[in-house]
mmCIF file of all heavy atoms in Angstrom:
data_model
loop_
_atom_site.group_PDB
_atom_site.id
_atom_site.type_symbol
_atom_site.label_atom_id
_atom_site.label_comp_id
_atom_site.label_asym_id
_atom_site.label_seq_id
_atom_site.Cartn_x
_atom_site.Cartn_y
_atom_site.Cartn_z
ATOM 1 N N MET A 269 90.408 52.670 32.708
ATOM 2 C CA MET A 269 89.229 52.244 33.461
ATOM 3 C C MET A 269 89.646 51.585 34.781
ATOM 4 O O MET A 269 89.122 51.872 35.830
ATOM 5 C CB MET A 269 88.408 51.223 32.644
ATOM 6 C CG MET A 269 87.692 51.845 31.475
ATOM 7 S SD MET A 269 86.207 52.743 31.929
ATOM 8 C CE MET A 269 85.579 53.152 30.314
ATOM 9 N N ALA A 270 90.650 50.708 34.692
ATOM 10 C CA ALA A 270 91.034 49.961 35.879
ATOM 11 C C ALA A 270 91.911 50.778 36.807
ATOM 12 O O ALA A 270 91.953 50.528 37.999
ATOM 13 C CB ALA A 270 91.767 48.695 35.472
ATOM 14 N N SER A 271 92.594 51.750 36.231
ATOM 15 C CA SER A 271 93.481 52.545 37.067
ATOM 16 C C SER A 271 92.709 53.591 37.855
ATOM 17 O O SER A 271 91.530 53.846 37.603
ATOM 18 C CB SER A 271 94.553 53.208 36.191
ATOM 19 O OG SER A 271 93.947 54.045 35.243
ATOM 20 N N ALA A 272 93.393 54.209 38.770
ATOM 21 C CA ALA A 272 92.745 55.197 39.618
ATOM 22 C C ALA A 272 92.285 56.397 38.798
ATOM 23 O O ALA A 272 93.003 56.852 37.913
ATOM 24 C CB ALA A 272 93.697 55.647 40.707
ATOM 25 N N PRO A 273 91.090 56.886 39.078
ATOM 26 C CA PRO A 273 90.577 58.057 38.356
ATOM 27 C C PRO A 273 91.320 59.321 38.767
ATOM 28 O O PRO A 273 91.930 59.365 39.839
ATOM 29 C CB PRO A 273 89.107 58.125 38.779
ATOM 30 C CG PRO A 273 89.080 57.458 40.121
ATOM 31 C CD PRO A 273 90.148 56.394 40.073
ATOM 32 N N VAL A 274 91.244 60.294 37.927
ATOM 33 C CA VAL A 274 91.860 61.570 38.255
ATOM 34 C C VAL A 274 90.987 62.327 39.246
ATOM 35 O O VAL A 274 89.851 61.953 39.512
ATOM 36 C CB VAL A 274 92.074 62.419 36.979
ATOM 37 C CG1 VAL A 274 93.095 61.757 36.071
ATOM 38 C CG2 VAL A 274 90.782 62.649 36.272
ATOM 39 N N ASP A 275 91.498 63.391 39.738
ATOM 40 C CA ASP A 275 90.784 64.137 40.774
ATOM 41 C C ASP A 275 89.431 64.648 40.296
ATOM 42 O O ASP A 275 88.490 64.764 41.061
ATOM 43 C CB ASP A 275 91.628 65.316 41.244
ATOM 44 C CG ASP A 275 92.768 64.846 42.140
ATOM 45 O OD1 ASP A 275 92.711 63.693 42.592
ATOM 46 O OD2 ASP A 275 93.692 65.611 42.343
ATOM 47 N N ASP A 276 89.327 64.972 39.009
ATOM 48 C CA ASP A 276 88.061 65.482 38.487
ATOM 49 C C ASP A 276 86.935 64.478 38.673
ATOM 50 O O ASP A 276 85.821 64.820 39.032
ATOM 51 C CB ASP A 276 88.193 65.804 36.987
ATOM 52 C CG ASP A 276 88.713 67.222 36.789
ATOM 53 O OD1 ASP A 276 88.851 67.936 37.803
ATOM 54 O OD2 ASP A 276 88.982 67.598 35.642
ATOM 55 N N ASP A 277 87.256 63.205 38.444
ATOM 56 C CA ASP A 277 86.231 62.184 38.606
ATOM 57 C C ASP A 277 85.800 62.075 40.058
ATOM 58 O O ASP A 277 84.631 61.925 40.374
ATOM 59 C CB ASP A 277 86.757 60.827 38.125
ATOM 60 C CG ASP A 277 86.778 60.770 36.602
ATOM 61 O OD1 ASP A 277 86.142 61.641 35.983
ATOM 62 O OD2 ASP A 277 87.417 59.864 36.049
ATOM 63 N N MET A 278 86.758 62.171 40.926
ATOM 64 C CA MET A 278 86.423 62.081 42.339
ATOM 65 C C MET A 278 85.555 63.262 42.754
ATOM 66 O O MET A 278 84.645 63.127 43.555
ATOM 67 C CB MET A 278 87.703 62.060 43.185
ATOM 68 C CG MET A 278 88.498 60.778 42.992
ATOM 69 S SD MET A 278 89.983 60.764 44.019
ATOM 70 C CE MET A 278 89.245 60.647 45.647
ATOM 71 N N PHE A 279 85.850 64.411 42.188
ATOM 72 C CA PHE A 279 85.072 65.595 42.515
ATOM 73 C C PHE A 279 83.650 65.463 42.005
ATOM 74 O O PHE A 279 82.695 65.810 42.688
ATOM 75 C CB PHE A 279 85.742 66.823 41.903
ATOM 76 C CG PHE A 279 85.131 68.121 42.376
ATOM 77 C CD1 PHE A 279 85.131 68.454 43.720
ATOM 78 C CD2 PHE A 279 84.557 68.997 41.466
ATOM 79 C CE1 PHE A 279 84.573 69.641 44.154
ATOM 80 C CE2 PHE A 279 83.996 70.190 41.893
ATOM 81 C CZ PHE A 279 84.004 70.511 43.238
ATOM 82 N N ASP A 280 83.503 64.936 40.792
ATOM 83 C CA ASP A 280 82.163 64.713 40.244
ATOM 84 C C ASP A 280 81.372 63.767 41.128
ATOM 85 O O ASP A 280 80.199 63.973 41.389
ATOM 86 C CB ASP A 280 82.260 64.124 38.837
ATOM 87 C CG ASP A 280 82.349 65.220 37.786
ATOM 88 O OD1 ASP A 280 82.188 66.400 38.160
ATOM 89 O OD2 ASP A 280 82.582 64.906 36.618
ATOM 90 N N GLU A 281 82.030 62.734 41.566
ATOM 91 C CA GLU A 281 81.335 61.768 42.394
ATOM 92 C C GLU A 281 80.924 62.395 43.717
ATOM 93 O O GLU A 281 79.852 62.155 44.236
ATOM 94 C CB GLU A 281 82.240 60.562 42.659
ATOM 95 C CG GLU A 281 81.599 59.276 42.194
ATOM 96 C CD GLU A 281 82.535 58.105 42.337
ATOM 97 O OE1 GLU A 281 82.576 57.556 43.446
ATOM 98 O OE2 GLU A 281 83.215 57.761 41.360
ATOM 99 N N PHE A 282 81.784 63.224 44.226
ATOM 100 C CA PHE A 282 81.479 63.937 45.465
ATOM 101 C C PHE A 282 80.231 64.779 45.291
ATOM 102 O O PHE A 282 79.330 64.776 46.123
ATOM 103 C CB PHE A 282 82.684 64.803 45.835
ATOM 104 C CG PHE A 282 82.428 65.695 47.025
ATOM 105 C CD1 PHE A 282 82.324 65.151 48.295
ATOM 106 C CD2 PHE A 282 82.318 67.060 46.856
ATOM 107 C CE1 PHE A 282 82.108 65.966 49.387
ATOM 108 C CE2 PHE A 282 82.100 67.884 47.950
ATOM 109 C CZ PHE A 282 81.992 67.338 49.216
ATOM 110 N N LEU A 283 80.148 65.480 44.172
ATOM 111 C CA LEU A 283 78.988 66.326 43.914
ATOM 112 C C LEU A 283 77.747 65.479 43.701
ATOM 113 O O LEU A 283 76.664 65.824 44.168
ATOM 114 C CB LEU A 283 79.235 67.195 42.682
ATOM 115 C CG LEU A 283 80.251 68.319 42.891
ATOM 116 C CD1 LEU A 283 80.470 69.062 41.581
ATOM 117 C CD2 LEU A 283 79.785 69.292 43.967
ATOM 118 N N ASN A 284 77.890 64.371 42.996
ATOM 119 C CA ASN A 284 76.745 63.522 42.729
ATOM 120 C C ASN A 284 76.161 62.950 44.011
ATOM 121 O O ASN A 284 74.965 62.707 44.099
ATOM 122 C CB ASN A 284 77.151 62.374 41.795
ATOM 123 C CG ASN A 284 77.223 62.841 40.353
ATOM 124 O OD1 ASN A 284 76.531 63.780 39.975
ATOM 125 N ND2 ASN A 284 78.049 62.202 39.553
ATOM 126 N N GLN A 285 76.999 62.745 44.968
ATOM 127 C CA GLN A 285 76.506 62.191 46.219
ATOM 128 C C GLN A 285 75.767 63.253 47.026
ATOM 129 O O GLN A 285 74.887 62.938 47.809
ATOM 130 C CB GLN A 285 77.677 61.637 47.036
ATOM 131 C CG GLN A 285 78.188 60.320 46.455
ATOM 132 C CD GLN A 285 79.510 59.898 47.068
ATOM 133 O OE1 GLN A 285 79.997 60.563 47.983
ATOM 134 N NE2 GLN A 285 80.093 58.846 46.560
ATOM 135 N N ARG A 286 76.117 64.483 46.820
ATOM 136 C CA ARG A 286 75.490 65.541 47.607
ATOM 137 C C ARG A 286 74.237 66.078 46.926
ATOM 138 O O ARG A 286 73.279 66.435 47.572
ATOM 139 C CB ARG A 286 76.467 66.700 47.820
ATOM 140 C CG ARG A 286 77.672 66.287 48.630
ATOM 141 C CD ARG A 286 78.539 67.490 48.931
ATOM 142 N NE ARG A 286 77.897 68.390 49.879
ATOM 143 C CZ ARG A 286 77.837 69.706 49.744
ATOM 144 N NH1 ARG A 286 78.378 70.270 48.705
ATOM 145 N NH2 ARG A 286 77.279 70.456 50.636
ATOM 146 N N GLY A 287 74.289 66.198 45.591
ATOM 147 C CA GLY A 287 73.167 66.804 44.877
ATOM 148 C C GLY A 287 72.738 65.951 43.712
ATOM 149 O O GLY A 287 73.171 64.819 43.565
ATOM 150 N N HIS A 288 71.919 66.521 42.869
ATOM 151 C CA HIS A 288 71.402 65.777 41.741
ATOM 152 C C HIS A 288 72.129 66.155 40.468
ATOM 153 O O HIS A 288 72.257 65.384 39.557
ATOM 154 C CB HIS A 288 69.912 66.042 41.565
ATOM 155 C CG HIS A 288 69.125 65.730 42.801
ATOM 156 N ND1 HIS A 288 68.927 64.452 43.258
ATOM 157 C CD2 HIS A 288 68.514 66.534 43.681
ATOM 158 C CE1 HIS A 288 68.216 64.488 44.370
ATOM 159 N NE2 HIS A 288 67.952 65.747 44.655
ATOM 160 N N ASP A 289 72.604 67.371 40.423
ATOM 161 C CA ASP A 289 73.141 67.890 39.184
ATOM 162 C C ASP A 289 74.493 68.530 39.431
ATOM 163 O O ASP A 289 74.646 69.312 40.355
ATOM 164 C CB ASP A 289 72.189 68.949 38.616
ATOM 165 C CG ASP A 289 71.774 68.619 37.210
ATOM 166 O OD1 ASP A 289 72.606 68.050 36.479
ATOM 167 O OD2 ASP A 289 70.645 68.941 36.840
ATOM 168 N N THR A 290 75.448 68.189 38.587
ATOM 169 C CA THR A 290 76.757 68.816 38.743
ATOM 170 C C THR A 290 76.865 70.054 37.871
ATOM 171 O O THR A 290 77.710 70.893 38.097
ATOM 172 C CB THR A 290 77.868 67.832 38.361
ATOM 173 O OG1 THR A 290 77.650 67.386 37.041
ATOM 174 C CG2 THR A 290 77.894 66.664 39.320
ATOM 175 N N GLU A 291 75.984 70.180 36.902
ATOM 176 C CA GLU A 291 76.055 71.305 35.970
ATOM 177 C C GLU A 291 75.095 72.427 36.373
ATOM 178 O O GLU A 291 75.494 73.537 36.631
ATOM 179 C CB GLU A 291 75.715 70.834 34.550
ATOM 180 C CG GLU A 291 76.816 70.011 33.911
ATOM 181 C CD GLU A 291 78.017 70.881 33.574
ATOM 182 O OE1 GLU A 291 77.824 72.065 33.244
ATOM 183 O OE2 GLU A 291 79.144 70.388 33.635
ATOM 184 N N THR A 292 73.829 72.095 36.397
ATOM 185 C CA THR A 292 72.829 73.112 36.689
ATOM 186 C C THR A 292 72.429 73.066 38.155
ATOM 187 O O THR A 292 71.781 72.133 38.597
ATOM 188 C CB THR A 292 71.575 72.900 35.822
ATOM 189 O OG1 THR A 292 71.976 72.754 34.475
ATOM 190 C CG2 THR A 292 70.632 74.082 35.950
ATOM 191 N N VAL A 293 72.833 74.075 38.855
ATOM 192 C CA VAL A 293 72.483 74.137 40.269
ATOM 193 C C VAL A 293 71.339 75.112 40.447
ATOM 194 O O VAL A 293 71.415 76.257 40.019
ATOM 195 C CB VAL A 293 73.682 74.578 41.111
ATOM 196 C CG1 VAL A 293 73.312 74.613 42.589
ATOM 197 C CG2 VAL A 293 74.860 73.648 40.881
ATOM 198 N N GLY A 294 70.282 74.660 41.035
ATOM 199 C CA GLY A 294 69.120 75.525 41.218
ATOM 200 C C GLY A 294 68.686 75.548 42.665
ATOM 201 O O GLY A 294 69.282 74.912 43.523
ATOM 202 N N TRP A 295 67.638 76.281 42.875
ATOM 203 C CA TRP A 295 67.098 76.387 44.226
ATOM 204 C C TRP A 295 66.533 75.058 44.690
ATOM 205 O O TRP A 295 65.930 74.324 43.909
ATOM 206 C CB TRP A 295 65.977 77.422 44.243
ATOM 207 C CG TRP A 295 66.416 78.811 43.940
ATOM 208 C CD1 TRP A 295 66.339 79.440 42.734
ATOM 209 C CD2 TRP A 295 66.983 79.754 44.845
ATOM 210 N NE1 TRP A 295 66.835 80.713 42.857
ATOM 211 C CE2 TRP A 295 67.223 80.937 44.135
ATOM 212 C CE3 TRP A 295 67.300 79.704 46.208
ATOM 213 C CZ2 TRP A 295 67.778 82.065 44.729
ATOM 214 C CZ3 TRP A 295 67.849 80.826 46.796
ATOM 215 C CH2 TRP A 295 68.085 81.992 46.063
ATOM 216 N N GLU A 296 66.691 74.800 45.938
ATOM 217 C CA GLU A 296 65.921 73.724 46.542
ATOM 218 C C GLU A 296 64.531 74.279 46.808
ATOM 219 O O GLU A 296 64.354 75.485 46.976
ATOM 220 C CB GLU A 296 66.566 73.296 47.868
ATOM 221 C CG GLU A 296 68.011 72.883 47.750
ATOM 222 C CD GLU A 296 68.156 71.497 47.160
ATOM 223 O OE1 GLU A 296 67.180 70.732 47.208
ATOM 224 O OE2 GLU A 296 69.239 71.196 46.649
ATOM 225 N N GLU A 297 63.540 73.407 46.833
ATOM 226 C CA GLU A 297 62.201 73.888 47.117
ATOM 227 C C GLU A 297 61.762 73.354 48.465
ATOM 228 O O GLU A 297 61.910 72.183 48.773
ATOM 229 C CB GLU A 297 61.231 73.413 46.029
ATOM 230 C CG GLU A 297 61.688 73.816 44.649
ATOM 231 C CD GLU A 297 60.706 74.780 43.996
ATOM 232 O OE1 GLU A 297 59.588 74.921 44.511
ATOM 233 O OE2 GLU A 297 61.061 75.378 42.984
ATOM 234 N N SER A 298 61.232 74.245 49.270
ATOM 235 C CA SER A 298 60.804 73.843 50.596
ATOM 236 C C SER A 298 59.626 74.695 51.034
ATOM 237 O O SER A 298 59.735 75.914 51.099
ATOM 238 C CB SER A 298 61.971 73.997 51.575
ATOM 239 O OG SER A 298 61.601 73.572 52.860
ATOM 240 N N TYR A 299 58.513 74.054 51.275
ATOM 241 C CA TYR A 299 57.309 74.758 51.731
ATOM 242 C C TYR A 299 56.957 75.921 50.815
ATOM 243 O O TYR A 299 56.703 77.028 51.258
ATOM 244 C CB TYR A 299 57.489 75.249 53.168
ATOM 245 C CG TYR A 299 57.800 74.142 54.127
ATOM 246 C CD1 TYR A 299 59.089 73.953 54.588
ATOM 247 C CD2 TYR A 299 56.794 73.271 54.543
ATOM 248 C CE1 TYR A 299 59.374 72.922 55.473
ATOM 249 C CE2 TYR A 299 57.075 72.244 55.421
ATOM 250 C CZ TYR A 299 58.376 72.073 55.880
ATOM 251 O OH TYR A 299 58.661 71.059 56.738
ATOM 252 N N ASN A 300 56.982 75.672 49.510
ATOM 253 C CA ASN A 300 56.644 76.695 48.523
ATOM 254 C C ASN A 300 57.610 77.869 48.546
ATOM 255 O O ASN A 300 57.302 78.949 48.050
ATOM 256 C CB ASN A 300 55.212 77.210 48.719
ATOM 257 C CG ASN A 300 54.189 76.142 48.373
ATOM 258 O OD1 ASN A 300 54.432 75.331 47.470
ATOM 259 N ND2 ASN A 300 53.077 76.145 49.041
ATOM 260 N N LYS A 301 58.738 77.666 49.124
ATOM 261 C CA LYS A 301 59.756 78.704 49.107
ATOM 262 C C LYS A 301 61.003 78.157 48.448
ATOM 263 O O LYS A 301 61.175 76.957 48.292
ATOM 264 C CB LYS A 301 60.081 79.174 50.530
ATOM 265 C CG LYS A 301 58.976 80.029 51.133
ATOM 266 C CD LYS A 301 59.375 80.506 52.514
ATOM 267 C CE LYS A 301 58.337 81.467 53.081
ATOM 268 N NZ LYS A 301 58.400 82.803 52.498
ATOM 269 N N LYS A 302 61.853 79.058 48.059
ATOM 270 C CA LYS A 302 63.137 78.645 47.520
ATOM 271 C C LYS A 302 64.149 78.560 48.652
ATOM 272 O O LYS A 302 64.226 79.451 49.496
ATOM 273 C CB LYS A 302 63.624 79.668 46.485
ATOM 274 C CG LYS A 302 62.813 79.650 45.209
ATOM 275 C CD LYS A 302 63.327 80.719 44.273
ATOM 276 C CE LYS A 302 62.661 80.622 42.902
ATOM 277 N NZ LYS A 302 63.120 81.700 42.009
ATOM 278 N N GLN A 303 64.892 77.483 48.613
ATOM 279 C CA GLN A 303 65.902 77.316 49.646
ATOM 280 C C GLN A 303 67.276 77.291 49.014
ATOM 281 O O GLN A 303 67.540 76.554 48.066
ATOM 282 C CB GLN A 303 65.653 76.024 50.422
ATOM 283 C CG GLN A 303 66.647 75.832 51.567
ATOM 284 C CD GLN A 303 66.278 74.664 52.437
ATOM 285 O OE1 GLN A 303 65.697 73.695 51.975
ATOM 286 N NE2 GLN A 303 66.644 74.747 53.710
ATOM 287 N N CYS A 304 68.134 78.126 49.524
ATOM 288 C CA CYS A 304 69.498 78.186 49.021
ATOM 289 C C CYS A 304 70.210 76.858 49.282
ATOM 290 O O CYS A 304 70.250 76.405 50.415
ATOM 291 C CB CYS A 304 70.239 79.331 49.716
ATOM 292 S SG CYS A 304 71.982 79.412 49.302
ATOM 293 N N PRO A 305 70.732 76.232 48.226
ATOM 294 C CA PRO A 305 71.420 74.957 48.403
ATOM 295 C C PRO A 305 72.762 75.128 49.094
ATOM 296 O O PRO A 305 73.382 74.168 49.517
ATOM 297 C CB PRO A 305 71.592 74.442 46.974
ATOM 298 C CG PRO A 305 71.621 75.671 46.144
ATOM 299 C CD PRO A 305 70.729 76.678 46.840
ATOM 300 N N ASP A 306 73.181 76.358 49.175
ATOM 301 C CA ASP A 306 74.498 76.622 49.744
ATOM 302 C C ASP A 306 74.425 76.808 51.247
ATOM 303 O O ASP A 306 75.131 76.161 52.000
ATOM 304 C CB ASP A 306 75.079 77.870 49.072
ATOM 305 C CG ASP A 306 76.586 77.812 49.020
ATOM 306 O OD1 ASP A 306 77.120 76.685 48.963
ATOM 307 O OD2 ASP A 306 77.221 78.874 49.016
ATOM 308 N N CYS A 307 73.534 77.696 51.696
ATOM 309 C CA CYS A 307 73.476 77.992 53.121
ATOM 310 C C CYS A 307 72.164 77.551 53.747
ATOM 311 O O CYS A 307 72.021 77.569 54.955
ATOM 312 C CB CYS A 307 73.695 79.489 53.354
ATOM 313 S SG CYS A 307 72.296 80.514 52.866
ATOM 314 N N GLY A 308 71.181 77.183 52.900
ATOM 315 C CA GLY A 308 69.922 76.689 53.434
ATOM 316 C C GLY A 308 68.923 77.789 53.753
ATOM 317 O O GLY A 308 67.877 77.525 54.318
ATOM 318 N N GLY A 309 69.259 79.021 53.385
ATOM 319 C CA GLY A 309 68.354 80.131 53.664
ATOM 320 C C GLY A 309 67.100 80.042 52.813
ATOM 321 O O GLY A 309 67.149 79.625 51.662
ATOM 322 N N LEU A 310 65.982 80.429 53.384
ATOM 323 C CA LEU A 310 64.710 80.392 52.678
ATOM 324 C C LEU A 310 64.371 81.754 52.103
ATOM 325 O O LEU A 310 64.579 82.783 52.749
ATOM 326 C CB LEU A 310 63.595 79.943 53.625
ATOM 327 C CG LEU A 310 63.603 78.463 53.986
ATOM 328 C CD1 LEU A 310 62.585 78.190 55.090
ATOM 329 C CD2 LEU A 310 63.282 77.609 52.772
ATOM 330 N N HIS A 311 63.822 81.732 50.881
ATOM 331 C CA HIS A 311 63.444 82.970 50.207
ATOM 332 C C HIS A 311 62.127 82.762 49.500
ATOM 333 O O HIS A 311 61.762 81.634 49.188
ATOM 334 C CB HIS A 311 64.525 83.364 49.188
ATOM 335 C CG HIS A 311 65.893 83.445 49.800
ATOM 336 N ND1 HIS A 311 66.328 84.503 50.531
ATOM 337 C CD2 HIS A 311 66.902 82.562 49.796
ATOM 338 C CE1 HIS A 311 67.556 84.279 50.948
ATOM 339 N NE2 HIS A 311 67.939 83.100 50.521
ATOM 340 N N ASP A 312 61.411 83.838 49.228
ATOM 341 C CA ASP A 312 60.149 83.673 48.510
ATOM 342 C C ASP A 312 60.417 83.318 47.052
ATOM 343 O O ASP A 312 61.549 83.386 46.574
ATOM 344 C CB ASP A 312 59.258 84.909 48.642
ATOM 345 C CG ASP A 312 59.856 86.138 47.994
ATOM 346 O OD1 ASP A 312 60.571 85.990 46.985
ATOM 347 O OD2 ASP A 312 59.606 87.243 48.501
ATOM 348 N N SER A 313 59.332 82.957 46.351
ATOM 349 C CA SER A 313 59.487 82.379 45.020
ATOM 350 C C SER A 313 60.038 83.373 44.012
ATOM 351 O O SER A 313 60.438 83.000 42.920
ATOM 352 C CB SER A 313 58.149 81.832 44.524
ATOM 353 O OG SER A 313 57.179 82.872 44.541
ATOM 354 N N GLY A 314 60.059 84.657 44.352
ATOM 355 C CA GLY A 314 60.572 85.649 43.423
ATOM 356 C C GLY A 314 62.058 85.908 43.581
ATOM 357 O O GLY A 314 62.635 86.687 42.829
ATOM 358 N N ALA A 315 62.663 85.251 44.529
ATOM 359 C CA ALA A 315 64.068 85.516 44.798
ATOM 360 C C ALA A 315 64.943 85.052 43.638
ATOM 361 O O ALA A 315 64.694 84.018 43.039
ATOM 362 C CB ALA A 315 64.486 84.808 46.077
ATOM 363 N N THR A 316 65.924 85.856 43.307
ATOM 364 C CA THR A 316 66.847 85.465 42.244
ATOM 365 C C THR A 316 68.232 85.179 42.792
ATOM 366 O O THR A 316 69.059 84.582 42.116
ATOM 367 C CB THR A 316 66.955 86.567 41.180
ATOM 368 O OG1 THR A 316 67.324 87.794 41.820
ATOM 369 C CG2 THR A 316 65.632 86.757 40.472
ATOM 370 N N GLU A 317 68.459 85.617 44.004
ATOM 371 C CA GLU A 317 69.721 85.269 44.636
ATOM 372 C C GLU A 317 69.539 85.207 46.143
ATOM 373 O O GLU A 317 68.586 85.770 46.688
ATOM 374 C CB GLU A 317 70.811 86.276 44.274
ATOM 375 C CG GLU A 317 70.570 87.658 44.840
ATOM 376 C CD GLU A 317 71.750 88.585 44.528
ATOM 377 O OE1 GLU A 317 72.371 88.442 43.477
ATOM 378 O OE2 GLU A 317 72.026 89.450 45.368
ATOM 379 N N CYS A 318 70.447 84.529 46.780
ATOM 380 C CA CYS A 318 70.358 84.378 48.223
ATOM 381 C C CYS A 318 70.839 85.656 48.900
ATOM 382 O O CYS A 318 71.937 86.120 48.659
ATOM 383 C CB CYS A 318 71.207 83.183 48.653
ATOM 384 S SG CYS A 318 71.223 82.955 50.437
ATOM 385 N N SER A 319 69.972 86.204 49.738
ATOM 386 C CA SER A 319 70.343 87.424 50.430
ATOM 387 C C SER A 319 71.206 87.124 51.647
ATOM 388 O O SER A 319 71.717 88.035 52.292
ATOM 389 C CB SER A 319 69.092 88.202 50.851
ATOM 390 O OG SER A 319 68.296 87.399 51.694
ATOM 391 N N VAL A 320 71.338 85.845 51.952
ATOM 392 C CA VAL A 320 72.143 85.463 53.107
ATOM 393 C C VAL A 320 73.618 85.324 52.727
ATOM 394 O O VAL A 320 74.491 85.938 53.320
ATOM 395 C CB VAL A 320 71.631 84.159 53.725
ATOM 396 C CG1 VAL A 320 72.474 83.756 54.919
ATOM 397 C CG2 VAL A 320 70.164 84.316 54.134
ATOM 398 N N CYS A 321 73.860 84.527 51.690
ATOM 399 C CA CYS A 321 75.263 84.256 51.338
ATOM 400 C C CYS A 321 75.607 84.777 49.945
ATOM 401 O O CYS A 321 76.758 84.737 49.535
ATOM 402 C CB CYS A 321 75.540 82.753 51.423
ATOM 403 S SG CYS A 321 74.757 81.802 50.113
ATOM 404 N N GLY A 322 74.593 85.262 49.215
ATOM 405 C CA GLY A 322 74.873 85.827 47.898
ATOM 406 C C GLY A 322 74.855 84.812 46.778
ATOM 407 O O GLY A 322 75.115 85.145 45.628
ATOM 408 N N TRP A 323 74.517 83.568 47.071
ATOM 409 C CA TRP A 323 74.467 82.546 46.046
ATOM 410 C C TRP A 323 73.347 82.841 45.060
ATOM 411 O O TRP A 323 72.297 83.369 45.432
ATOM 412 C CB TRP A 323 74.230 81.185 46.697
ATOM 413 C CG TRP A 323 74.069 80.058 45.710
ATOM 414 C CD1 TRP A 323 75.053 79.271 45.203
ATOM 415 C CD2 TRP A 323 72.849 79.623 45.116
ATOM 416 N NE1 TRP A 323 74.511 78.378 44.323
ATOM 417 C CE2 TRP A 323 73.178 78.564 44.249
ATOM 418 C CE3 TRP A 323 71.522 80.034 45.228
ATOM 419 C CZ2 TRP A 323 72.201 77.896 43.501
ATOM 420 C CZ3 TRP A 323 70.562 79.373 44.475
ATOM 421 C CH2 TRP A 323 70.902 78.308 43.628
ATOM 422 N N SER A 324 73.566 82.522 43.789
ATOM 423 C CA SER A 324 72.496 82.607 42.799
ATOM 424 C C SER A 324 72.657 81.468 41.814
ATOM 425 O O SER A 324 73.771 81.026 41.556
ATOM 426 C CB SER A 324 72.527 83.948 42.083
ATOM 427 O OG SER A 324 73.727 84.090 41.372
ATOM 428 N N PRO A 325 71.544 80.976 41.283
ATOM 429 C CA PRO A 325 71.610 79.882 40.318
ATOM 430 C C PRO A 325 72.306 80.322 39.048
ATOM 431 O O PRO A 325 72.100 81.444 38.582
ATOM 432 C CB PRO A 325 70.146 79.502 40.066
ATOM 433 C CG PRO A 325 69.368 80.719 40.463
ATOM 434 C CD PRO A 325 70.165 81.413 41.535
ATOM 435 N N VAL A 326 73.090 79.430 38.471
ATOM 436 C CA VAL A 326 73.799 79.752 37.238
ATOM 437 C C VAL A 326 73.061 79.167 36.047
ATOM 438 O O VAL A 326 72.765 77.994 36.065
ATOM 439 C CB VAL A 326 75.236 79.202 37.272
ATOM 440 C CG1 VAL A 326 75.952 79.509 35.966
ATOM 441 C CG2 VAL A 326 75.990 79.790 38.443
HETATM 442 ZN ZN1 ZN B 123 72.601 81.163 50.677
#
């Protein structure tokens, strides 16, 4: 506990600061559209993957 954390912990913290979930990554929602959390591209609600960068929720 008192010693320095391993890199995995630092990575988790990095992710926690950027997003809400480190496990389940989903679309951001913006103006009733889905927004790719990776590149920020907007897609309609039926989109299953980002046509800009190819990202898809896991
Ligand atoms: Zn994208």
Side-chain angles (χ1 to χ4, degrees):
M269 289 282 186
S271 60
V274 294
D275 285 345
D276 273 354
D277 284 345
M278 292 181 68
F279 189 60
D280 272 352
E281 237 175 85
F282 174 71
L283 288 177
N284 281 332
Q285 286 168 4
R286 296 186 70 226
H288 304 290
D289 235 326
T290 57
E291 287 289 327
T292 310
V293 181
W295 295 98
E296 304 283 339
E297 305 244 347
S298 182
Y299 302 103
N300 291 327
K301 287 182 175 284
K302 290 178 173 178
Q303 183 172 31
C304 174
D306 210 29
C307 73
L310 287 171
H311 306 281
D312 65 32
S313 57
T316 55
E317 67 176 33
C318 177
S319 59
V320 180
C321 71
W323 176 90
S324 63
V326 178

